[in-house]
Amino acid sequence: MNEPRLLDLQAIDSDIDHLQKRKAELEAGAEIEAARDRAAQAEQVVGELRLALDELSTNQKRLEYDDDAMGQKLAAEKARMYDGSIMNTRELSALEAEIKNLGERIGRIEDEVLELMVQREELEEKIAEAEQALTAARQEHERVGGGAVTELGQVEEQLTSKVAERGTLAAAIDEELVELYDDLRGAKHGIGAAALTDGVCQGCHEKLSPLDLDKLKKTEGVKRCPTCRRILVT
């Protein structure tokens, strides 16, 4: 028995399997959940970058405060040096050393402030990019959420049509053959019947030997692949 309509039935069943899987995904909200996760991850990145910027700003303000305080002290010490109030040579030497030390400390602080300013600029650029990514992720979440409802309706409509088409076609094929086909579909990952093309079973993709091909030609009734045992349609 060589029933070519089995391949049509197989194609419909494969479509039904795909539609049922898609329906389950949509009902479970897998895509919506994935989009929500992407938005949450993007939001976390923005939050972490903003915290880093806040910490950098705090450090910069502290250094600027220290710089200002030392600048005032340096100005006061220089004023003392030249106002004539200190006559002792040792005190003047100590004051000169203090002025030099303050100048060096101020220089180091200013270098640190400049470095923080560079880091701040880089962070602000990263934040801008991260915020753009966050906006895009949120828009995608909203789009997927709305689109999933529409797609679910379309999938259910197609599924109803395919199931009806399947029933009509199956009724026109020998009942015992359909039962065998259904059993094989359950055991063979959804593929119960396959075409034999150029000596190759399209179910398991194994090439049949000349001896197997000769046996198939002489077989009366249902032809089966000698490797995977699926129904072969030649």
Side-chain angles (χ1 to χ4, degrees):
M1 183 185 297
N2 186 22
E3 179 55 81
R5 284 180 294 182
L6 268 182
L7 293 182
D8 295 331
L9 187 63
Q10 177 66 72
I12 292 172
D13 281 334
S14 294
D15 287 343
I16 289 173
D17 289 345
H18 173 75
L19 289 167
Q20 287 176 334
K21 180 181 178 181
R22 184 60 181 151
K23 180 183 177 183
E25 290 173 348
L26 290 168
E27 288 177 336
E31 286 192 1
I32 297 175
E33 184 178 355
R36 182 169 58 246
D37 288 344
R38 287 192 292 271
Q41 290 171 3
E43 189 169 352
Q44 182 178 352
V45 170
V46 171
E48 290 173 350
L49 288 171
R50 284 176 176 167
L51 283 174
L53 182 61
D54 288 344
E55 183 178 355
L56 188 149
S57 297
T58 298
N59 290 336
Q60 182 177 339
K61 288 178 180 177
R62 176 181 55 79
L63 288 171
E64 289 173 344
Y65 174 83
D66 290 345
D67 182 55
D68 182 64
M70 287 187 186
Q72 293 181 28
K73 185 175 181 180
L74 178 61
E77 296 291 57
K78 284 182 176 180
R80 286 180 59 209
M81 174 172 283
Y82 298 114
D83 65 6
S85 61
I86 301 177
M87 305 298 295
N88 185 283
T89 303
R90 182 176 295 179
E91 289 185 20
L92 283 173
S93 296
L95 186 57
E96 287 177 352
E98 176 65 12
I99 289 172
K100 181 181 179 182
N101 181 54
L102 285 170
E104 290 173 351
R105 290 171 64 188
I106 289 172
R108 288 194 296 270
I109 288 174
E110 289 177 347
D111 288 342
E112 289 182 50
V113 170
L114 287 174
E115 177 61 27
L116 288 180
M117 290 174 67
V118 171
Q119 293 178 19
R120 182 188 186 91
E121 185 176 348
E122 293 174 351
L123 264 178
E124 288 174 343
E125 290 178 359
K126 289 181 180 180
I127 289 173
E129 293 174 359
E131 287 178 338
Q132 288 179 354
L134 174 58
T135 298
R138 284 173 173 168
Q139 291 174 345
E140 176 68 6
H141 181 208
E142 293 175 2
R143 185 193 67 77
V144 170
V149 175
T150 301
E151 186 181 355
L152 180 58
Q154 294 172 343
V155 167
E156 289 176 336
E157 183 178 343
Q158 293 172 24
L159 191 54
T160 299
S161 175
K162 285 291 181 180
V163 169
E165 185 181 354
R166 201 254 187 213
T168 300
L169 181 57
I173 303 174
D174 180 80
E175 185 176 348
E176 291 185 1
L177 182 60
V178 173
E179 287 180 3
L180 173 62
Y181 160 78
D182 285 337
D183 289 342
L184 287 169
R185 255 177 52 80
K188 300 291 183 180
H189 308 290
I191 306 297
L196 180 65
T197 306
D198 296 329
V200 177
C201 169
Q202 299 304 304
C204 62
H205 303 289
E206 291 290 334
K207 187 172 180 62
L208 277 63
S209 68
L211 179 60
D212 287 332
L213 290 172
D214 186 60
K215 287 181 179 179
L216 278 178
K217 289 179 182 179
K218 297 176 181 178
T219 298
E220 294 183 1
V222 181
K223 300 180 188 294
R224 306 279 293 274
C225 173
T227 301
C228 68
R229 303 303 296 159
R230 290 181 173 91
I231 299 170
L232 282 178
V233 179
T234 58

